[in-house]
Amino acid sequence: MNNHFIFKKQAYLFIAAMAFLFTSCKIEKVAPVAESAKDLTGTWKVIQATRNGTNLIPIYDFSQFSIKFDAATGSYNLINPVPFLVSADGKFSLDDPQYPFKLTFTATGGQPVATAFNYPINNGSRQIILTFSPGCAQNTYVFTFSKSN
Amino acid sequence: MKVRLHIKGKNLWRLCTLIVLCIVLSCCYTIITGVDQPATAVVGSTVNITVHVNNSCNSGGTAHFVFGFLTPTGWNTAQNAKITYTSTKGNGNMVLIPSTTIAPNSNGVNWPLYMKNTFGNAGNLINDVQWTAYESDVPITYANGDKISGTVNITFNNIGADGNPTEVKLAYFVANDQNGFTSDGNDGDSSPTTEYYNEFINTTCFTLTGGTGDLVDFCNPQLTTIDPPKSLDNDIVTLTYNNNVTKTALAGAPAVYLCATATMSDGTTVTVCGQSANTMLTQTTSTSGIYQLTFWPRKLFGAVAGQTVVSMTYFITDITGAKQVGYGNSSSPFTYKFKCT
């Protein structure tokens, strides 16, 4: 009698546990958020520039220089050029539009020049930081661009 | 078996304690007593330099002997200098310390940077010199009271690898890899110094003659300097004119101007000699006497595609262009070659 009651109690407990088990687990369907492709389209101007660590902004005029990227045609234009990775207009490409690590410039009629692509957000707007040596290899320049429009 | 293990463990503890004590107390005062160095040499020749070192130890321990050598960057010292040591504790080779090795008491930088931070450019006026760091191939064991003397022997092959005749103050330092550049005041054992390191700057300029390049004078203040010291026409270069070096015709001018003639790769010459904003060197402060112009040589000289600027000769002039200052305040122009070595 006593035993029978215990078994019955265990059966109820088992059923209740199973009920909880089946209702507790829900498969949540998380919609994957696609990483946006990095669109460089626009005109970019130099806001910081260093040569071997020396700040060039007070001593060299970068105000006229800008790069215009057009993602639709894959081309870039240099306006009032300064010493840079490339010296003529041409095509550009990112190694991966979603997760780019490299930016490649190919001047018209020239060889592709690749550089590490650094694309941080500063004060809510994107910046491009490029490191390169247009002259002697031991002279390193770091330009920080921000979109001007 | 058990007994043997017990003895081993005991020895291990003793050894550990000894090592810890050695690290804490590892101290040898050190000094460079002299440097045998020629006053002059020819570019591309082999130069032998001997550095005499004395050590006085106030505790026992083990340490690598560290040696640093300041030379112009263009000499490729790491490749061209072969260094050995002889000492009363044995002889051996000095080997390059990897740039990944962090120096002790250096706030986490490697030896060459530690030397640069501590000793700077050793009085050289152009920031194009570098420290190269070496250590003894084996650690040297010393006892309390040891007086160790030795020499560091440098065989510098192909000196002046960049081909430039040079005036430079060579500098040397010695240290050990336990103490770094530290010292204490316990100079109670008649040691030569209270420093665990010592620096020796040869105040007499070492003169390198011959070579195909332009004279690089690290020793004497120059009327004009170009930064970066080694650059091409596609660099952004800063020309500095220092009117304080000597009394020139341009004293007190609010601004001075560049009057330059460039030689292009196709043999043509381009002269830029107008007194305009493009050629104006502005004074850094109103009375500093130091004037600067930062320019892009390709643009200044109008180099077209396929053409490069090889070299330039230049004068510094006043606003009228009538008063000119040339090399060494003479009537011959300053010269600069655009090259990377």
Side-chain angles (χ1 to χ4, degrees), chain B:
Chain B
M1 189 70 179
K2 224 175 178 180
V3 175
R4 261 182 72 193
L5 266 175
H6 183 67
I7 290 168
K8 253 187 175 172
K10 202 166 144 192
N11 276 346
L12 200 67
W13 277 110
R14 279 179 178 167
L15 191 71
C16 284
T17 313
L18 196 71
I19 288 170
V20 169
L21 278 174
C22 286
I23 288 168
V24 174
L25 299 172
S26 157
C27 308
C28 281
Y29 302 116
T30 185
I31 189 166
I32 296 177
T33 54
V35 174
D36 302 334
Q37 175 198 303
T40 177
V42 178
V43 169
S45 63
T46 297
V47 170
N48 294 306
I49 300 168
T50 306
V51 180
H52 300 273
V53 184
N54 276 351
N55 284 283
S56 169
C57 302
N58 63 3
S59 75
T62 300
H64 282 93
F65 171 65
V66 174
F67 176 70
F69 186 22
L70 182 84
T71 54
T73 311
W75 288 10
N76 291 334
T77 303
Q79 286 167 27
N80 293 323
K82 298 282 169 276
I83 306 186
T84 61
Y85 66 92
T86 62
S87 78
T88 49
K89 290 280 181 185
N91 307 335
N93 289 313
M94 298 299 290
V95 294
L96 287 167
I97 302 179
S99 62
T100 49
T101 301
I102 303 298
N105 305 311
S106 68
N107 289 325
V109 299
N110 64 16
W111 278 100
L113 195 55
Y114 189 22
M115 297 172 208
K116 183 110 178 172
N117 293 346
T118 310
F119 306 121
N121 291 338
N124 287 295
L125 297 172
I126 306 171
N127 187 19
D128 196 23
V129 286
Q130 67 179 11
W131 287 96
T132 312
Y134 298 83
E135 65 181 354
S136 55
D137 49 1
V138 292
I140 291 163
T141 305
Y142 49 88
N144 192 358
D146 269 0
K147 307 276 186 220
I148 308 167
S149 62
T151 59
V152 177
N153 312 300
I154 305 168
T155 305
F156 210 125
N157 296 308
N158 187 24
I159 198 162
D162 56 5
N164 295 326
T166 306
E167 295 262 351
V168 63
K169 287 175 186 165
L170 299 177
Y172 313 84
F173 85 83
V174 288
N176 68 67
D177 68 348
Q178 302 293 325
N179 297 104
F181 304 142
T182 55
S183 57
D184 69 24
N186 304 324
D187 189 12
D189 59 349
S190 70
S191 63
T193 152
T194 60
E195 294 171 341
Y196 301 130
Y197 67 96
N198 193 225
E199 184 198 24
F200 186 97
I201 299 172
N202 209 326
T203 46
T204 316
C205 283
F206 176 71
T207 305
L208 203 55
T209 57
T212 52
D214 295 322
L215 173 70
V216 184
D217 191 341
F218 292 93
C219 295
N220 304 300
Q222 300 296 304
L223 281 169
T224 64
T225 50
I226 287 182
D227 183 41
K230 286 162 185 171
S231 54
L232 291 182
D233 62 347
N234 206 30
D235 272 301
I236 296 175
V237 300
T238 301
L239 171 68
T240 303
Y241 172 70
N242 185 348
N243 211 12
N244 306 318
V245 171
T246 181
K247 194 171 156 49
T248 72
L250 302 176
V256 295
Y257 295 84
L258 174 67
C259 175
T261 301
T263 304
M264 312 303 250
S265 51
D266 56 9
T268 56
T269 58
V270 176
T271 299
V272 175
C273 197
Q275 285 76 42
S276 71
N278 289 337
T279 59
M280 184 169 79
L281 288 80
T282 46
Q283 202 164 193
T284 53
T285 63
S286 60
T287 54
S288 67
I290 293 169
Y291 303 78
Q292 285 188 327
L293 170 66
T294 299
F295 63 100
W296 177 20
R298 291 191 67 82
K299 190 180 180 192
L300 186 73
F301 298 113
V304 295
Q307 200 181 32
T308 54
V309 186
V310 177
S311 66
M312 64 174 181
T313 59
Y314 60 96
F315 293 96
I316 305 295
T317 75
D318 68 343
I319 194 163
T320 65
K323 291 178 185 167
Q324 285 195 338
V325 170
Y327 180 72
N329 200 19
S330 73
S331 59
S332 54
F334 300 96
T335 58
Y336 184 79
K337 286 194 181 87
F338 291 99
K339 63 191 188 85
C340 296
T341 54

Side-chain angles (χ1 to χ4, degrees), chain A residues 18-92:
Chain A
M18 290 315 275
F20 277 122
L21 253 170
F22 280 108
T23 52
S24 65
C25 292
K26 271 190 204 147
I27 296 166
E28 227 174 298
K29 285 187 180 162
V30 181
V33 180
E35 176 72 22
S36 62
K38 303 295 177 286
D39 184 9
L40 302 186
T41 301
T43 302
W44 296 80
K45 300 200 86 140
V46 175
I47 55 165
Q48 285 168 38
T50 62
R51 173 193 62 206
N52 301 333
T54 305
N55 182 13
L56 289 175
I57 293 292
I59 55 175
Y60 193 80
D61 182 13
F62 289 98
S63 63
Q64 304 303 308
F65 171 59
S66 59
I67 310 180
K68 206 170 144 192
F69 288 108
D70 185 348
T73 59
S75 61
Y76 68 89
N77 297 89
L78 302 172
I79 296 119
N80 296 310
V82 297
F84 189 56
L85 275 160
V86 280
S87 50
D89 296 350
K91 301 279 184 192
F92 77 96

